[in-house]
Amino acid sequence: MHKLSVIVPVFNEAEAIPELFERLVRSCSEYAPFEIVAIDDGSTDGSYESLADQRKLYPDAEIMIIRFRSNSGKSDALDAGFRAAKGNLIATIDADLQNPPEEISKLISALGSHALSAGKRIKREDTVFKRFASRFANFVRRKLLMDDASDTACGLKVFRKEALRELPMFKGMHRFFPALLRMKGFSVIEVEVQDAFRRYGNSKYGTFSRGIPGFFDMLAVYWMRKRKLTYEIKSHD
């Protein structure tokens, strides 16, 4: 049984992949046996070929590559990774290296009895406008969903596998992991992590392209929260 599975959604991140895998293999070696599950989300820049090169470069590491026929989005990639993962602990990390792989161990150490250890970025390297938009979105989400998570957009997270089985899967789910888990009665902890400057490529999603779908996704989660079943069994004769 693997102790750790690292899920890496990839969409046009060919430049970042060699450094990402070198740092992942090195920093996760203490959790051996571990695996890396990379999901190529319809990349067109040679990301798949770069992922295949990493598997050859690190023959002693267990690296699985899932290749989508076309770009489907981050939630789809995460779901495919969750289903394929064999580890008891499931870590997620973005491929662009803004999430330092070395921070995964910090999240695992803090997990304890919680279902999710979620990264909370400090000293954000985004533009002033993106930081403002993120704070505003987080404020609205906390008020509407009664969710005190402060940075759900951070890609660095560590889950217990058994908790993931209880999550509803839908497009946009990755923005609401803390709220969805709390709805199921699980506990969540936030851990401060570093946020690195993006050195490779460009952001794949703009603030507005994420904001409008994210708002409607939030309304769907709000509906689920208000309509969840709340019965308690007094006896069962």
Side-chain angles (χ1 to χ4, degrees):
M1 173 63 74
H2 292 70
K3 181 174 183 180
L4 173 67
S5 298
V6 183
I7 310 300
V8 189
V10 176
F11 179 54
N12 290 345
E13 298 288 358
E15 289 183 289
I17 286 171
E19 181 181 344
L20 170 67
F21 272 71
E22 188 275 326
R23 292 169 63 182
L24 272 177
V25 170
R26 175 164 36 86
S27 61
C28 293
S29 59
E30 64 181 293
Y31 302 106
F34 74 95
E35 65 175 350
I36 300 173
V37 182
I39 302 90
D40 176 26
D41 186 16
S43 297
T44 57
D45 70 337
S47 287
Y48 174 76
E49 290 74 16
S50 184
L51 290 170
D53 288 342
Q54 302 312 301
R55 187 159 56 187
K56 295 175 184 176
L57 188 61
Y58 301 104
D60 294 332
E62 186 165 344
I63 299 173
M64 181 192 306
I65 304 171
I66 299 172
R67 191 179 191 185
F68 284 0
R69 191 177 301 277
S70 59
N71 178 242
S72 297
K74 187 173 182 178
S75 291
D76 295 67
L78 288 172
D79 181 59
F82 292 156
R83 292 175 183 274
K86 299 188 286 287
N88 294 320
L89 301 180
I90 313 292
T92 63
I93 186 170
D94 292 341
D96 57 16
L97 284 173
Q98 287 190 271
N99 301 153
E102 295 78 12
E103 298 282 48
I104 292 175
S105 61
K106 184 189 297 185
L107 297 181
I108 293 175
S109 296
L111 185 62
S113 60
H114 301 286
L116 167 62
S117 180
K120 178 174 68 173
R121 292 166 292 181
I122 56 176
K123 297 181 180 179
R124 294 279 297 274
E125 294 291 343
D126 290 329
T127 63
V128 172
F129 177 73
K130 287 186 73 173
R131 290 199 298 269
F132 170 78
S134 178
R135 289 194 189 101
F136 178 74
N138 282 329
F139 172 79
V140 174
R141 190 200 69 255
R142 287 195 297 268
K143 291 296 184 181
L144 196 61
L145 303 183
M146 304 299 289
D147 170 23
D148 61 359
S150 57
D151 185 14
T152 60
C154 180
L156 268 173
K157 294 179 172 65
V158 173
F159 301 83
R160 293 195 178 280
K161 189 171 187 176
E162 60 268 24
L164 283 173
R165 297 191 185 103
E166 301 295 322
L167 284 180
M169 299 297 176
F170 58 92
K171 285 189 180 294
M173 66 175 180
H174 63 277
R175 303 185 185 97
F176 306 102
F177 282 136
L180 292 169
L181 284 168
R182 287 182 172 122
M183 281 170 51
K184 293 291 185 177
F186 293 106
S187 62
V188 175
I189 187 171
E190 283 191 307
V191 180
E192 290 187 347
V193 296
Q194 296 297 320
D195 183 48
F197 181 76
R198 186 184 180 99
R199 293 186 288 122
Y200 302 103
N202 301 302
S203 176
K204 305 303 182 294
Y205 304 100
T207 302
F208 291 107
S209 64
R210 288 181 298 185
I212 294 175
F215 175 74
F216 287 106
D217 292 340
M218 181 170 58
L219 292 181
V221 176
Y222 175 75
W223 181 88
M224 284 190 281
R225 177 177 172 272
K226 299 296 288 186
R227 303 297 293 174
K228 70 175 181 178
L229 303 178
T230 58
Y231 65 84
E232 296 181 13
I233 296 176
K234 184 176 180 179
S235 63
H236 198 306
D237 300 327

